Amino acid sequence: MSNLDEIDLKIMRATQSGLPLTPLPYHAVAEQLELSADIVIERMRRMQELGVIRRIGAVPNHYQLGYRFNGMTVWNVPDEKIDALGKKIGNLDFVSHCYHRPRHLPLWPYNLFAMVHGKSQKDVDQQIKQIAEILGSDNRGSDVLYSTRILKKTGFRSK
């Protein structure tokens, strides 16, 4: 964070709760801070390259979109195949995120996680079945952790 100056910190404070929901969000931030949009974009790009900002992306509220059945599927797959299998599963339309996590044996044998969302339990059950079919014999076991409430998703907060 020593590479950041006061302008960077102002941009971080202005965007830490999210970018404005407008067609030109960087322009709105620039106007608020009395900067040019080019400066805001370039500074945010640099902070991303430095690792200060990990990513910029949309965080939908699935419940408000009608997707009330949400489950984190966990899979035990061969470590040497996890990248290829993860890409296949992550590319499915109904998977919002998919990633590799370490196993914690002997209690937790799962290393591939994929979040699925559906408007009904039947939808989610079908999605899980589809993932299992794609994994085939590489599926050495699985489970589903269902959401019971939505958690507030936030990143770094600067004062």
Side-chain angles (χ1 to χ4, degrees), residues 82-99 112-115 131 134-135:
I82 196 153
D83 287 340
L85 294 171
K87 284 182 183 176
K88 285 182 183 180
I89 303 309
N91 283 332
L92 295 170
D93 291 342
F94 53 82
V95 173
S96 63
H97 46 286
C98 180
Y99 46 89
L112 180 64
F113 291 52
M115 190 72 188
I131 293 172
I134 291 169
L135 296 175

Side-chain angles (χ1 to χ4, degrees), residues 15-48:
T15 60
Q16 66 187 3
S17 294
L19 290 170
L21 297 176
T22 66
L24 299 170
Y26 299 102
H27 290 73
V29 171
E31 186 177 321
Q32 175 189 339
L33 299 177
E34 298 179 348
L35 299 169
S36 75
D38 290 340
I39 288 175
V40 171
I41 291 167
E42 181 52 41
R43 294 282 185 129
M44 290 185 76
R45 183 177 295 125
R46 186 177 62 81
M47 286 188 278
Q48 208 168 4

Side-chain angles (χ1 to χ4, degrees), residues 102-150:
R103 305 171 196 275
H104 292 281
L105 299 173
L107 300 174
W108 192 258
Y110 310 111
N111 59 346
L112 180 64
F113 291 52
M115 190 72 188
V116 298
H117 307 277
K119 292 188 175 184
S120 70
Q121 185 67 52
K122 183 179 177 183
D123 290 345
V124 172
D125 291 343
Q126 182 59 36
Q127 293 166 352
I128 295 167
K129 181 179 177 187
Q130 190 174 341
I131 293 172
E133 288 171 358
I134 291 169
L135 296 175
S137 63
D138 290 321
N139 177 10
R140 298 175 178 169
S142 65
D143 206 344
V144 184
L145 311 170
Y146 287 100
S147 301
T148 57
R149 62 188 174 103
I150 192 165

